Amino acid sequence: VLRPRASEFVMGNTDVELTGTWTKNPTTANVTITKMFTGEGFNATTMVPNFNLTLNKVKDAGEGEEQKKTPQNLTKGEGYTWTATLGAGNYEITESNADVAGWTRTKTGDWSFTITEEDLGNSKSISLINTYTKFTDAEVDLSALIKKTLEGGDKMPAGASKTFTVKLTPVQQSGTTYVPIEGGTAITGTADCSTNTTNVGFMFSSLTDNKLTFGAEGTHYYLVEEVTPAGANAIPGMKYDDSTYILTIEVKKAEGKDEYVATPSIIKLA
């Protein structure tokens, strides 16, 4: 009678060793943040020396809750760079002490960003850009404001010069009087009345297009007086105008615009 034999498993003389490698999944990403400043005439070193960045992890708010923001550590690097080690989530960067009077600031770049699961274990670069644009300067056309009228020009000696000079001296109020500003530079202009004797605008060669320009709010004062030629340079019989005036220029930012406007006014002192 044939009988089936029981199944057998026989180990050989060689040992079997099973090995495996377990790697912990990365939980953070290395983030480098680079800040850039642009703008014609803008110098970040001198104009925003104390600006600061703040990095927060942002968690969306549930119903009836406020958005939760958790500060994250930033490590300052060389120049305008920072590094951070961040887990998965949503982040935002804010800055302080970055506004400059007389300039508009436009922000572009990755001020809000996300670290995904795919980013973990890798490096990520973030760029932040501030573009500054200077407000438009206010202008005052002195040639349209200060003019010369010559009376009796036909009685002047033949060949006598009909060119007259005016001087504007920067001054400041001191009580009820005006005193020169230390270090202030006077401005001179000339008016040629040889072909026209009425309301001839003074030309100021030291100024571009005869215009004073102002790039900040403030009030400016100028003492205005005609220059009487000395000695033989004076025209015989000419009575020069010995009046003195104060030119006041008030500069303010235009409402709703990134520009300054100037309002001039003149009062006669004597």
Side-chain angles (χ1 to χ4, degrees), residues 52-120:
N52 185 57
L53 295 182
T54 300
L55 174 64
N56 284 311
K57 186 173 185 179
V58 180
K59 182 178 180 181
D60 290 337
E63 186 176 352
E65 298 178 343
E66 292 185 0
Q67 189 181 57
K68 184 178 181 181
K69 298 182 179 181
T70 306
Q72 307 294 304
N73 290 328
L74 275 175
T75 302
K76 184 72 173 67
E78 293 185 3
Y80 296 124
T81 62
W82 291 259
T83 57
T85 303
L86 305 176
N90 297 320
Y91 296 86
E92 69 172 17
I93 300 173
T94 58
E95 64 181 347
S96 57
N97 301 325
D99 287 323
V100 180
W103 297 72
T104 57
R105 174 171 58 100
T106 303
K107 295 166 53 177
T108 55
D110 308 311
W111 294 88
S112 296
F113 62 93
T114 299
I115 300 296
T116 65
E117 295 293 334
E118 289 74 18
D119 292 325
L120 301 180

Side-chain angles (χ1 to χ4, degrees), residues 121-142:
N122 298 313
S123 297
K124 187 179 182 72
S125 296
I126 300 296
S127 295
L128 309 174
I129 304 171
N130 279 12
T131 300
Y132 290 84
T133 305
K134 194 177 186 303
F135 288 4
T136 302
D137 289 345
E139 296 181 339
V140 175
D141 185 350
L142 293 180

Side-chain angles (χ1 to χ4, degrees), residues 23-72:
T23 302
K24 185 177 180 180
N25 290 331
T27 59
T28 59
N30 295 319
V31 177
T32 299
I33 300 170
T34 302
K35 180 66 185 293
M36 290 173 280
F37 298 91
T38 65
E40 184 178 353
F42 187 84
N43 186 318
T45 302
T46 58
M47 300 175 74
V48 286
N50 300 315
F51 90 94
N52 185 57
L53 295 182
T54 300
L55 174 64
N56 284 311
K57 186 173 185 179
V58 180
K59 182 178 180 181
D60 290 337
E63 186 176 352
E65 298 178 343
E66 292 185 0
Q67 189 181 57
K68 184 178 181 181
K69 298 182 179 181
T70 306
Q72 307 294 304

Side-chain angles (χ1 to χ4, degrees), residues 101-239:
W103 297 72
T104 57
R105 174 171 58 100
T106 303
K107 295 166 53 177
T108 55
D110 308 311
W111 294 88
S112 296
F113 62 93
T114 299
I115 300 296
T116 65
E117 295 293 334
E118 289 74 18
D119 292 325
L120 301 180
N122 298 313
S123 297
K124 187 179 182 72
S125 296
I126 300 296
S127 295
L128 309 174
I129 304 171
N130 279 12
T131 300
Y132 290 84
T133 305
K134 194 177 186 303
F135 288 4
T136 302
D137 289 345
E139 296 181 339
V140 175
D141 185 350
L142 293 180
S143 66
L145 194 64
I146 304 174
K147 299 182 178 183
K148 178 66 178 177
T149 293
L150 173 62
E151 297 178 354
D154 56 331
K155 298 180 177 62
M156 293 174 58
S161 173
K162 294 183 180 180
T163 299
F164 300 87
T165 302
V166 69
K167 181 171 70 172
L168 279 67
T169 303
V171 294
Q172 59 189 0
Q173 279 188 307
S174 178
T176 58
T177 62
Y178 297 87
V179 296
I181 295 176
E182 185 177 353
T185 301
I187 307 166
T188 59
T190 58
D192 184 359
C193 298
S194 58
T195 58
N196 180 24
T197 59
T198 304
N199 293 326
V200 179
F202 283 91
M203 300 291 107
F204 296 82
S205 60
S206 63
L207 304 178
T208 301
D209 297 327
N210 304 301
K211 294 177 181 178
L212 291 172
T213 58
F214 303 91
E217 292 187 313
T219 303
H220 307 267
Y221 302 97
Y222 296 87
L223 177 67
V224 182
E225 54 192 342
E226 185 172 23
V227 176
T228 300
N233 292 323
I235 300 173
M238 174 67 68
K239 183 180 184 304

